[in-house]
Amino acid sequence: MKSISRIIVLLCFFSTCTTSLAGEASYHPSWSVKLAKAVQGRRSVTYLDLFKQIMPDISLGENGATAKSVIAIRHIAGADAGGTIATPVHIRSFQTVNFVEGGKKRIALLAPLDTGTDDAERPALLAVFDDGDLPKLLDAVDVGMDRLTGFVIPALVQIGKGDQAIVTRSQHFNSNESYARTALVFMRGARIVLVDTFSTYGVRFCGVEETQTLSFKGLASDRKRYKDVAVRVTHKRAVAAKQCAGEKPRPPFVRAISAIYAWDGDKARFVPGSDAIKRLEKRNSEQF
């Protein structure tokens, strides 16, 4: 029989996703905002009005809002990810965060969509609006990659003097394990663009706890619009004094796996300078 460590998938217990830039603020999203609440700085425009640009027939109910139609939106991870969003959809809660793109103020809304199904991968709407008197929809995508999706805290990474990237995370938990996929996205030309997705894992068993904590940091640059972005996974194993009988003792460790993503003007995207993180993801899936 395979040992417990071999049959349990290594999954991640997340704590934070940090930017670590000197002088940067911690960008926290507003949680569970009411749909009928006025958009910040406006008296006559509600968040429900913004959602109507994506779901024209959305209406308020006792426990949120329901829509029978949704405009066509693509999945941020590509054509092979996600699928057609079944309707009607129900929004029970959503989050919002303000950020900048090209020096212009933007509003982002993130809403998990309840379609009445029990799919493992559930849709989550990320919509970006300008910051006008009547905010106009710029783009909307599906960022759902697991059961639970939300902004990471802090939700933004400074990737340029006038540009911030958004961090979302999809995850689910079992009794002693969890796993998640994190997406780093930004706005370019009124379009939500993916930098990359990152899978991280962790598990607790037999007195052993393994975690993989993801962090982002925009590196200083005065020569170009977009900074290089350092992505780091801190893989840590903590071991209690007593482990399970019959199990091979597991020594504690702390390892750092990183990659620098740099903007490639010819390819018009961020490109990693190393495949170290992707190799870690592959080892996770193969070993555990």
Side-chain angles (χ1 to χ4, degrees):
M1 177 180 288
K2 293 184 177 181
S3 67
I4 295 175
S5 61
R6 295 292 180 179
I7 61 175
I8 297 179
V9 179
L10 178 65
L11 300 171
C12 176
F13 293 94
F14 287 100
S15 55
T16 59
C17 177
T18 59
T19 55
S20 303
L21 277 180
E24 280 196 314
S26 293
Y27 305 101
H28 290 248
S30 296
W31 295 77
S32 300
V33 183
K34 293 183 179 180
L35 285 160
K37 182 180 178 180
V39 178
Q40 186 177 13
R42 300 159 184 83
R43 293 183 179 180
S44 59
V45 181
T46 67
Y47 287 104
L48 185 66
D49 293 326
L50 301 191
F51 277 106
K52 285 181 178 179
Q53 297 182 47
I54 307 159
M55 307 169 183
D57 59 4
I58 190 170
S59 59
L60 288 175
E62 292 184 2
N63 298 308
T66 301
K68 296 180 180 179
S69 62
V70 180
I71 65 172
I73 60 174
R74 67 193 184 282
H75 198 283
I76 193 63
D80 293 334
T84 303
I85 297 176
T87 54
V89 298
H90 191 78
I91 297 177
R92 300 183 184 279
S93 64
F94 72 96
Q95 301 167 268
T96 179
V97 69
N98 297 326
F99 70 106
V100 292
E101 178 254 328
K104 299 177 181 178
K105 295 180 180 180
R106 304 299 188 211
I107 303 168
L109 305 181
L110 178 56
L113 302 180
D114 182 354
T115 61
T117 63
D118 194 31
D119 295 336
E121 184 176 297
R122 297 176 181 176
L125 171 70
L126 174 65
V128 174
F129 302 78
D130 66 22
D131 198 32
D133 292 336
L134 178 58
K136 179 182 177 182
L137 177 67
L138 298 177
D139 197 14
V141 295
D142 179 2
V143 294
M145 294 180 284
D146 207 324
R147 289 182 175 273
L148 306 170
T149 300
F151 288 127
V152 171
I153 297 179
L156 305 179
V157 179
Q158 201 77 33
I159 61 169
K161 185 176 181 180
D163 289 277
Q164 293 167 324
I166 300 173
V167 190
T168 69
R169 180 168 294 153
S170 297
Q171 57 192 326
H172 83 261
F173 306 88
N174 296 321
S175 59
N176 65 333
E177 58 189 10
S178 67
Y179 74 89
R181 289 184 68 188
T182 300
L184 182 66
V185 305
F186 69 110
M187 286 292 292
R188 181 173 174 81
R191 183 177 175 86
I192 302 171
V193 180
L194 178 69
V195 175
D196 210 344
T197 62
F198 307 90
S199 297
T200 40
Y201 307 83
V203 66
R204 292 187 182 98
F205 67 98
C206 289
V208 176
E209 177 180 352
E210 293 206 25
T211 59
Q212 293 178 350
T213 304
L214 183 65
S215 66
F216 301 98
K217 179 179 179 181
L219 305 179
S221 176
D222 296 326
R223 297 169 298 173
K224 52 187 179 181
R225 175 175 175 178
Y226 297 119
K227 300 178 179 183
D228 292 351
V229 180
V231 183
R232 177 188 177 104
V233 178
T234 301
H235 185 184
K236 180 178 180 180
R237 178 190 290 160
V239 180
K242 184 178 181 180
Q243 299 183 38
C244 292
E247 281 289 307
K248 181 179 179 181
R250 300 277 175 169
F253 65 75
V254 178
R255 298 170 183 162
I257 303 93
S258 61
I260 304 295
Y261 281 71
W263 179 254
D264 186 319
D266 294 332
K267 297 180 179 179
R269 63 184 177 90
F270 280 92
V271 176
S274 166
D275 66 349
I277 293 177
K278 297 306 175 185
R279 285 189 280 110
L280 172 66
E281 294 176 359
K282 183 176 180 181
R283 285 199 302 272
N284 287 341
S285 63
E286 292 177 346
Q287 184 173 1
F288 298 96

